[in-house]
C-alpha cells in the first residue's frame, strides 16, 4: 500500500513538473502584460516620439531590445493618479534581458523611424510575442 501511494505521488509530481511553464516563458508573459497595461497609461499627445524597431532582422534583435529599453524610460504617464502603477510597470519591463548579441548589426536605434508612444508599445509587444 505504501508503495502504491509513493508511486502515485511520484507520478503526480512528475506530471506537474512537465506541465509547468518555464520561468523564462512566465517572465516574458508578465512583461508582455505590463506592456499592454502601459498602452492605456501612457501619454500619447504632446509626447516625445521614440525610435521604434519594427520587424528587426534575426541578427539585430539585441539592438532592437536595447532600443525598446531606452525608449521605455522616456515614457510619461497620462495622469499623476496612475503614477505608481506606471512606475511599477516601467520597472518590470525595463528588467527585460536579451543575452545574445548575435551578429554584428548594421542598424542602430537612430536608424529606426520615430513613432508615438502607443505605436512604440505595440511594436514592443509584437516583438515580445
Amino acid at each position: 500500500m505504501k508503495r502504491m501511494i509513493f508511486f502515485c505521488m511520484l507520478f503526480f509530481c512528475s506530471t506537474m513538473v512537465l506541465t509547468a511553464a518555464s520561468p523564462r516563458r512566465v517572465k516574458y508573459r508578465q512583461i508582455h502584460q505590463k506592456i499592454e497595461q502601459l498602452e492605456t497609461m501612457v501619454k500619447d499627445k504632446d509626447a516625445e516620439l521614440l525610435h521604434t524597431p519594427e520587424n528587426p532582422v534575426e541578427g539585430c534583435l539585441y539592438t532592437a531590445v536595447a532600443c525598446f529599453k531606452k525608449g521605455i524610460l522616456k515614457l510619461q504617464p497620462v495622469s499623476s493618479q496612475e503614477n505608481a502603477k506606471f512606475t511599477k510597470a516601467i520597472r518590470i519591463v525595463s528588467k527585460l534581458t536579451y543575452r545574445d548579441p548575435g551578429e554584428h548589426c548594421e542598424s542602430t536605434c537612430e536608424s529606426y523611424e520615430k513613432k508615438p508612444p502607443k505605436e512604440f508599445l505595440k511594436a514592443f509587444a509584437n516583438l515580445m510575442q
Side-chain angles (χ1 to χ4, degrees), residues 7-19:
F7 285 118
C8 288
M9 290 297 290
L10 182 65
F11 177 74
F12 176 74
C13 292
S14 63
T15 56
M16 292 305 291
V17 168
L18 292 175
T19 59

Side-chain angles (χ1 to χ4, degrees), residues 17-37:
V17 168
L18 292 175
T19 59
S22 70
R24 179 178 287 173
R25 179 171 276 167
V26 171
K27 179 182 173 185
Y28 285 145
R29 189 177 307 136
Q30 179 189 25
I31 290 172
H32 188 266
Q33 289 172 346
K34 291 299 177 185
I35 291 170
E36 289 177 344
Q37 285 178 357

Side-chain angles (χ1 to χ4, degrees), residues 57-97:
V57 290
E58 191 70 30
C60 293
L61 289 176
Y62 183 81
T63 305
V65 170
C67 290
F68 280 119
K69 285 179 73 171
K70 283 182 194 175
I72 283 289
L73 299 175
K74 296 178 182 178
L75 296 175
Q76 298 174 347
V78 169
S79 68
S80 59
Q81 296 169 345
E82 294 180 351
N83 202 17
K85 286 183 188 177
F86 183 82
T87 305
K88 183 178 180 181
I90 293 290
R91 192 173 349 109
I92 290 171
V93 173
S94 64
K95 288 183 180 179
L96 172 68
T97 56

